[in-house]
Structure formats: C-alpha cells, structure tokens
Amino acid sequence: MAAETDNGWKFAQCFGDKGEVEDITEGTYPFDLSADIISTVEFDHTGDYLATGDKGGRVVLFERNDGKKGCEYKFYTEFQSHEPEFDYLKSLEIEEKINKIKWCKRQNAAHFLLSTNDKTIKLWKVFEKSLKVVAENNLSDGSRPQNGKIQHLRLPKLTHHDTIIAAVPRKVYANAHAYHINSISINSDGETYISADDLRINLWNLNISDQSFMFEEQEDPANKSFFSEIISSISDVKFSKDGRYILSRDYLTLKIWDITMENRPLKTINIHDHLRNKLCDLYENDCIFDKNVLTGSYNNYFHIYDREGLTDVALQADKSAFKAKRVVSTKSNKILRGKNNKKEEINVDAIDFNKKILHASWHPNENSIAVAATNNLFIFTCV
C-alpha cells in the first residue's frame, strides 16, 4: 500500500531501476550508463500521455492505463530522437541529451511533439502503423504449375499481421541558435512555436524549418558591465494563452514581448532589483547562475506549496516511496516521519547535494505529478 501524507499526497507509480536509487547520481554514475538519466518530463494537454527525454537522446512515451484506478501509466513507445554530433566549424561536441519536450495539440489519430537538444529541434510524428504480410498466392498451398500452366490464378493477398507504434521525424529546425537551446513553447494557434537560448528568442512556423524570426533587445552601451551577458541570459520562455505575447525570464527581470514587435520587449518587470548592488557577491558564490525556480530540492525531495505559502508538503522520490516505508510531509521546515507525527529537524550536514529534483510536470487536469530522479520516473497523486 502506498504511503500517504497528512495532506493527501501519495506515491502512485515508478518506472525505472528500483534498486539502489540513492547510489545513482549524475556526478558519479558510470559513463556507459549515464545515458539513462532523465533530463526532461512533460505531460500532453490531456494528461493521458507522458513523455520523458534522457541524456542518451531517447524519448520514452507512456499512456494512461485505463484498466487501473487512479493515475497510473504504462509504456507506450520509445525512439531515438537525437544523436551526438560534432560542429567542425567551432570544434564543439554537441550532446544528444534532450533538453525539452513539448506536445502539439492532437488533431488526428497521430501524436506530434517537439524535442530539442542544445542545437537542433525536431518535430516527431508518432502513430500506429499496421504491418501486413502476404497471406495467400499461387504457391501458398505447395502446388506447382503443371506443364508450365497454372490452373487457377490467385493474386497475392495481404492481411493484417501486427500493429506497431512508429515514430518519424517530420521537420528538423537547425542552425538557428548560436547558444544552447534551453526552452521551447508551442503557441495556442497550433502553427507556431518559440525556442530560446541564453540571449535570444526565435519564433518558428511548424511547417517552415529553414527560417525564423528573432526577438532580441539591443543593450544600451551606457548600461554595459561585466555582468551584462550573464544576467541577461534567458532561462525560460512561454507563450501567453492567446498567443499574442511571449514571456521570457532572465536573472533579474521578466520581459513581456509582443509578437508584432521583435526589437524590444513591450514591458520589463524587475524581479530582483534589490540584488543589483550584490552582483559581485552573487558571482563569487555562483548564485548568479541560479536560473530556475523549481519545487525540487536536494536529497531527491520536492516541495508542494499552496498559493499563500501556508502549507509545505515535502515528498521524496526514492526507493522508500515504492517500498512504502516512510511518510514525509513538512510544515515550518520540519519533517514528519511515520504516523506518530514525531518531528525531527532537517540534518543539513546529511544532505546529498548530488541528488536533486530538476525535472517535473504537473498533470493538466488533476493533482498528479511526474517527477524525474536520475534514471527513475515517479508518479505522485493527491487523493
């Protein structure tokens, strides 16, 4: 029976190696097996399908298991999305690792999704393909022509043999980013999408792979400093629901762009204005490179907060979840272990900083979460 917190969240399912999960970290994992480490997780718009990408360039798809109660999934298909490459002009190796996956809204029986590594975005079509074999012909019964003549001519007949899930690349969008691609977002119109690297945003049409429109703000030379390029690095981009605006986040600001105006943002909102005088200190301790604000934490913990910040539920994505040995929830930075609600302070010295939750996706229609922990995919749900 799955362990359940006092806030209703419980472990539901795990895909991957259910062995010594805590011994597998990105920093110490053997090179020949590090390809299994999950690098992105994404539900589709319905929540019936879930995609993961890994460091080996593979995309694995799961579908909702309707035969099971609750939020459970089963394996759907797997395909190799990207291969390692080498940029001979820059003498640069390009990893096959999948940085992001985004589902296109489904229009027919096939699925379409975008996947990207550091340099190349691909549009994939995933569909059911019928395999047929020749069921009968003139020689199927072992008879041979007599005197060189065939008594009864039977044309070859094809019959259904099996159904497989096929994945084929429909478009490849390459050579448009000088820096590593870190975000993609699909517009609500189903025809356009944006991709972002550290310094610029490209607007694409899904049907056109050889050109894109560039959104980039030219820096005022009077404001240029040692930290200019670092703090202006874009960490994430999103379309607004109506598709008219683009939101981009860098270290100090949130910028709102109008898609009809590509030379400067419509509005710039200062997020960390109070930190501008502390950039030197932040640079020294590497905090300036913290681009992402996540619910994930160290020791494979992740936190779920309510809107007012009054409730903090902490869950751990490790083997203790599927062995149902431990219940974990937090309030006021405490950990409650077991059903006796005995509080224990967090031992900071015991935290393993190599284990961290960096990739997660929230179900679009219910309180279920998919969380990646190294080479494992955990599903948690709220009852």
Side-chain angles (χ1 to χ4, degrees):
M1 183 176 179
E4 184 177 333
T5 72
D6 56 352
N7 287 277
W9 285 94
K10 69 174 185 179
F11 162 77
Q13 197 175 13
C14 176
F15 293 94
D17 181 12
K18 298 181 181 179
E20 298 299 320
V21 178
E22 65 270 22
D23 292 336
I24 304 173
T25 62
E26 194 160 353
T28 60
Y29 208 49
F31 176 78
D32 58 339
L33 297 178
S34 63
D36 294 332
I37 295 176
I38 298 174
S39 54
T40 186
V41 181
E42 189 74 17
F43 279 107
D44 78 334
H45 298 84
T46 66
D48 292 336
Y49 292 88
L50 176 63
T52 66
D54 63 26
K55 293 189 67 177
R58 295 181 296 265
V59 171
V60 181
L61 305 184
F62 303 88
E63 64 175 337
R64 189 79 174 247
N65 192 349
D66 294 330
K68 299 287 186 178
K69 293 182 180 180
C71 187
E72 288 197 19
Y73 291 81
K74 60 184 178 181
F75 175 80
Y76 184 62
T77 192
E78 173 185 340
F79 59 91
Q80 188 72 31
S81 176
H82 287 71
E83 301 282 355
E85 301 177 41
F86 189 82
D87 188 335
Y88 291 95
L89 294 178
K90 298 180 179 179
S91 297
L92 182 67
E93 292 184 359
I94 302 173
E95 288 185 322
E96 64 270 36
K97 184 188 78 169
I98 307 299
N99 292 340
K100 290 290 182 180
I101 295 174
K102 292 294 179 182
W103 295 81
C104 302
K105 285 190 176 180
R106 198 170 181 180
Q107 305 292 333
N108 49 43
H111 300 275
F112 288 87
L113 51 87
L114 290 170
S115 63
T116 183
N117 65 352
D118 287 341
K119 295 295 182 182
T120 304
I121 306 166
K122 294 183 180 182
L123 175 65
W124 289 90
K125 178 182 178 181
V126 181
F127 60 100
E128 292 187 356
K129 183 178 181 180
S130 177
L131 296 180
K132 296 183 178 181
V133 296
V134 177
E136 62 179 48
N137 55 44
N138 271 79
L139 302 179
S140 60
D141 58 358
S143 61
R144 299 290 179 179
Q146 297 179 358
N147 300 323
K149 296 181 180 180
I150 297 176
Q151 301 298 323
H152 302 285
L153 179 62
R154 287 186 296 178
L155 296 176
K157 182 180 179 181
L158 294 177
T159 60
H160 176 78
H161 174 68
D162 195 7
T163 299
I164 62 170
I165 307 299
V168 295
R170 297 301 301 269
K171 295 286 183 180
V172 177
Y173 314 88
N175 304 319
H177 285 275
Y179 299 92
H180 291 176
I181 301 170
N182 53 44
S183 301
I184 50 178
S185 179
I186 300 177
N187 200 351
S188 57
D189 61 11
E191 296 182 357
T192 56
Y193 76 93
I194 50 177
S195 59
D197 60 29
D198 286 349
L199 298 181
R200 74 182 187 191
I201 303 168
N202 287 345
L203 174 64
W204 301 84
N205 187 299
L206 283 167
N207 296 315
I208 303 173
S209 59
D210 58 354
Q211 68 178 36
S212 62
F213 298 96
M214 185 181 66
F215 293 81
E216 187 172 11
E217 182 182 20
Q218 299 300 319
E219 184 180 14
D220 185 352
N223 298 328
K224 190 173 180 64
S225 70
F226 172 79
F227 303 105
S228 295
E229 186 171 310
I230 300 173
I231 63 176
S232 63
S233 296
I234 300 170
S235 59
D236 201 4
V237 291
K238 287 283 190 293
F239 264 114
S240 62
K241 288 187 177 180
D242 60 6
R244 174 67 187 272
Y245 303 101
I246 297 171
L247 285 77
S248 68
R249 175 66 198 271
D250 56 39
Y251 187 69
L252 295 178
T253 67
L254 176 69
K255 291 184 172 68
I256 303 175
W257 302 77
D258 189 318
I259 62 171
T260 63
M261 186 172 64
E262 60 185 75
N263 61 332
R264 61 184 175 88
L266 186 68
K267 185 176 181 61
T268 299
I269 302 171
N270 294 321
I271 304 296
H272 288 158
D273 215 27
H274 58 286
L275 297 179
R276 290 186 180 274
N277 295 328
K278 296 288 186 179
L279 292 179
C280 186
D281 294 336
L282 293 169
Y283 179 81
E284 290 295 330
N285 63 16
D286 287 342
C287 286
I288 199 170
F289 301 104
D290 291 340
K291 299 179 182 180
N292 299 317
V293 179
L294 302 172
T295 55
S297 185
Y298 297 106
N299 256 16
N300 282 350
Y301 279 96
F302 63 97
H303 295 257
I304 303 170
Y305 300 94
D306 67 349
R307 185 171 298 179
E308 288 76 26
L310 300 177
T311 303
D312 174 8
V313 179
L315 301 171
Q316 191 174 23
D318 72 350
K319 69 176 182 179
S320 65
F322 47 78
K323 288 188 176 180
K325 284 186 176 180
R326 181 169 53 194
V327 178
V328 184
S329 65
T330 67
K331 290 182 180 178
S332 303
N333 295 325
K334 302 282 187 177
I335 292 183
L336 308 181
R337 297 188 183 274
K339 294 184 179 180
N340 57 3
N341 289 345
K342 181 180 179 181
K343 293 184 179 180
E344 295 181 8
E345 295 286 351
I346 298 176
N347 185 357
V348 179
D349 294 330
I351 294 176
D352 187 345
F353 292 99
N354 287 320
K355 301 180 195 172
K356 46 196 171 184
I357 301 299
L358 298 177
H359 312 289
S361 183
W362 198 290
H363 193 288
N365 301 319
E366 60 188 57
N367 285 335
S368 298
I369 300 175
V371 179
T374 55
N375 66 335
N376 287 310
L377 177 66
F378 290 84
I379 307 292
F380 290 83
T381 186
C382 186
V383 294

